[in-house]
Amino acid sequence: MRKPIIAGNWKLNKTPHEAILLTDELKRELVDVEGVDIVLCPPFIDLADVKEALIDHNIALGAQNLFWEDAGAFTGEISAPMLKDLGVAYVIIGHSERRQYFHETNETVSKRLRAALKHGLNPIVCVGENLAQREANQTFDIIKDHCEGSLKGLSAEEMKKVVLAYEPVWAIGTGKTATPAQAQEVHAFIRQWLARTFDEGTAGHVRIQYGGSVTPDNIAALMAQPDIDGALVGGASLKAPSFAAIVKGAQK
Ligand code: PGA
């Protein structure tokens, strides 16, 4: 039985002051929730304040990216040891916005993933097709390419530490959620790919989140699908009531 995992991806939102207010509100809303892993992924600059606000709480902290080198002359970058030292537990890698706007490729995703695993961070690796690819019936080819390229060379033991997020690009921030059936179809494909590439045990262990316009209204139907193990939430994670309702909706 895979434990559901709901992560809030705040993207480029919330100043440190706003981040503390949102975290305090979330703590109150989520204090009694059990059976769901909850992760907040604020911008780098908010991590320390959010970490402090989360002391003695069951909500985990995640970053939205990391650089693959540990240290050195890489102006503007943040490394895995830095995140680890701060108490960050998760890190999103290869989000479609990084692939689209910041030239992220499977190769750089793979390097970041290695760095995260080396330093004991739990990676959330994103894969997903865009609208043109879906309309051209290339969805499974793209998912296979993202999985093969991003997860290349991992052992089964390493793979078990990774959370995957299927995020169809056409559903992100558009209000157009994939239907539960559309999402399930791709999640099942990813799980079969895991079974072929690693083994059945690994495929059964890895959690696969869905992401793309998840709301309190659609979370239950998504979570009812056998291969959907949680959600990566953007817009609806920026307000405490909607994020809390999604977390509660994910309690299986
Ligand atoms: P959204 O974003 O929930 O605003 O569609 C999801 C994501 O990009 O992770």
Side-chain angles (χ1 to χ4, degrees), residues 9 11 95-97 167 171-175 211-214 232-236:
N9 174 12
K11 307 190 180 184
H95 189 278
S96 62
E97 286 150 18
E167 297 208 308
I172 295 177
T174 59
S213 299
V214 174
L232 184 54
V233 186

Side-chain angles (χ1 to χ4, degrees), residues 25 36 54 81 89 114 122-123 138 152 164 169 183 220 231-232:
E25 223 183 311
V36 182
L54 288 176
R114 293 240 152 254
N122 301 301
Q138 292 169 346
K152 189 169 61 192
L164 292 176
V169 178
L232 184 54

Side-chain angles (χ1 to χ4, degrees), residues 60-239:
L61 190 61
Q64 298 175 16
N65 187 22
L66 84 174
F67 190 58
W68 52 82
E69 296 290 347
D70 288 358
F74 302 101
T75 302
E77 295 299 321
I78 303 280
S79 72
M82 291 172 177
L83 296 175
K84 192 72 192 170
D85 186 66
L86 203 61
V88 171
Y90 290 85
V91 58
I92 300 171
I93 301 177
H95 189 278
S96 62
E97 286 150 18
R98 305 261 358 138
R99 293 182 190 255
Q100 194 177 345
Y101 305 131
F102 303 99
H103 314 296
E104 194 87 66
T105 62
N106 284 339
E107 195 185 357
T108 57
V109 170
S110 165
K111 285 177 164 182
R112 292 177 211 275
L113 174 57
R114 293 240 152 254
L117 289 170
K118 178 174 158 206
H119 292 283
L121 293 164
N122 301 301
I124 300 177
V125 175
C126 305
V127 301
E129 83 288 359
N130 64 31
L131 186 59
Q133 291 161 339
R134 174 158 282 261
E135 286 177 344
N137 283 325
Q138 292 169 346
T139 298
F140 294 131
D141 293 339
I142 296 295
I143 299 302
K144 187 162 169 269
D145 174 70
H146 282 177
C147 287
E148 278 175 0
S150 307
L151 307 170
K152 189 169 61 192
L154 293 192
S155 67
E157 281 321 299
E158 287 170 327
M159 188 63 232
K160 285 185 185 151
K161 299 188 177 124
V162 177
V163 173
L164 292 176
Y166 166 56
E167 297 208 308
V169 178
W170 48 272
I172 295 177
T174 59
K176 272 191 221 158
T177 331
T179 64
Q182 278 175 324
Q184 166 59 26
E185 189 185 30
V186 178
H187 282 235
F189 176 85
I190 294 172
R191 210 174 294 289
Q192 285 155 18
W193 180 86
L194 288 168
R196 274 200 314 279
T197 308
F198 299 93
D199 51 67
E200 288 288 345
T202 305
H205 182 94
V206 171
R207 293 183 292 183
I208 310 173
Q209 296 177 309
Y210 168 78
S213 299
V214 174
T215 66
D217 294 332
N218 58 30
I219 185 68
L222 289 162
M223 291 301 293
Q225 301 298 317
D227 290 299
I228 299 183
D229 307 312
L232 184 54
V233 186
S237 73
L238 297 175
K239 295 222 160 71

